[in-house]
Amino acid sequence: MPDATDTDGLTVGQVSARLGVTVRALHHWDEIGLARPSLRTAAGYRLYTAGDLERLHRIVVYREIGLGLDRIRDVLDDSAADVPGALRAQRAQVAERIDRLQRLGAGLDRMIDAHERGLLLTAEQQAEIFGPRWDPDWPAQARRRYGDTAQWRQYAERSASRGPEEWQAVADAMTGFERALGEAMDAGAAPGSPEADQLVERHREVFASYFPLTRQMQVCLARMYEADPGFAAHYDGIRPGLAAWFRRIVDACARAHGIDPDTAAWE
């Protein structure tokens, strides 16, 4: 390496600042022989010439588009290298990454919407899936009331991955459960009986489509079904007194699992 005065080239620090490359990277490229400074000062400091800087600029460009260092070396040093072919292959990889990122962005948009809206369905879709008595403002009311809870976050994450068909399956499962609930009440199933306990377990399984439901949370939910005018009207519309009966079978099942319904709390 020829000697030079300090004015014949640029130092590592100067090149780092000019190209936006770390000094560590420049040292590494020097060590592996990818881009070595051509000059050295009398004091032993290495300097990059204009030609070195041009090579470094090309390395930076190729690295930014995703080429590995070995492939960059081939492109720069192999006269027989198919540079356009290498760039086309890299462009195809970039296009694939762009597609993945676009899909990721769309998924993030759905997740944000789900956290803010609850249901990613139009009012018409909601009415078609959940029935004419469904109020499309209910999800917004639920967010205002429960939006800062872990259960709302769990519900939103499930909602983000669902379209109309998935929500229809959830609605059908709940309708089937409520039908079975009314039939069991008509048949005289007693709280604490195997038939009643099976329905309590089925309710937890079906409700898990929204978020996981512990037994204590289920007690609280059944209490709300009976006390809330809207929920009570819904269940009593299926069978008169069904909301109160459902609470009784939930309480009986909870006691069988060592839970006092009177002190159960939302977890």
Side-chain angles (χ1 to χ4, degrees), residues 156-229:
E157 288 164 7
R158 285 163 170 76
S159 178
S161 63
R162 289 179 182 150
E165 292 182 0
E166 290 80 9
W167 276 117
Q168 186 66 64
V170 171
D172 290 345
M174 185 60 74
T175 298
F177 162 74
E178 291 174 345
R179 184 184 305 113
L181 196 67
E183 292 170 352
M185 181 181 169
D186 288 345
S193 66
E195 296 80 8
D197 286 347
Q198 287 175 4
L199 282 169
V200 173
E201 294 302 319
R202 182 175 172 182
H203 174 256
R204 291 180 64 226
E205 292 173 2
V206 171
F207 197 90
S209 296
Y210 301 99
F211 54 80
L213 191 68
T214 67
R215 296 188 187 281
Q216 291 210 39
M217 291 164 66
Q218 187 181 32
V219 170
C220 297
L221 199 63
R223 185 185 305 150
M224 184 183 71
Y225 286 172
E226 182 182 25
D228 183 271

Side-chain angles (χ1 to χ4, degrees), residues 60-209:
V60 170
V61 170
Y62 287 140
R63 191 182 65 161
E64 286 181 348
I65 64 174
L67 289 181
L69 295 181
D70 289 340
R71 195 73 182 98
I72 292 173
R73 188 196 303 275
D74 292 340
V75 170
L76 294 179
D77 298 337
D78 186 355
S79 60
D82 180 10
V83 176
L87 295 178
R88 288 191 185 96
Q90 190 62 27
R91 187 182 188 283
Q93 294 181 25
V94 170
E96 291 177 3
R97 288 201 298 272
I98 290 172
D99 181 63
R100 288 197 300 271
L101 289 171
Q102 287 176 334
R103 285 187 276 112
L104 176 61
L108 288 170
D109 286 341
R110 285 186 61 83
M111 187 71 75
I112 292 168
D113 286 347
H115 275 275
E116 293 179 344
R117 295 167 45 200
L119 280 175
L120 304 185
L121 300 171
T122 65
E124 293 76 12
Q125 289 172 326
Q126 292 179 46
E128 181 178 352
I129 293 170
F130 301 114
R133 291 189 295 178
W134 175 266
D135 185 346
D137 190 48
W138 282 343
Q141 294 176 13
R143 184 184 185 278
R144 288 192 292 271
R145 186 172 181 179
Y146 306 111
D148 60 348
T149 65
Q151 288 74 38
W152 177 265
R153 292 191 290 272
Q154 292 167 327
Y155 164 67
E157 288 164 7
R158 285 163 170 76
S159 178
S161 63
R162 289 179 182 150
E165 292 182 0
E166 290 80 9
W167 276 117
Q168 186 66 64
V170 171
D172 290 345
M174 185 60 74
T175 298
F177 162 74
E178 291 174 345
R179 184 184 305 113
L181 196 67
E183 292 170 352
M185 181 181 169
D186 288 345
S193 66
E195 296 80 8
D197 286 347
Q198 287 175 4
L199 282 169
V200 173
E201 294 302 319
R202 182 175 172 182
H203 174 256
R204 291 180 64 226
E205 292 173 2
V206 171
F207 197 90
S209 296

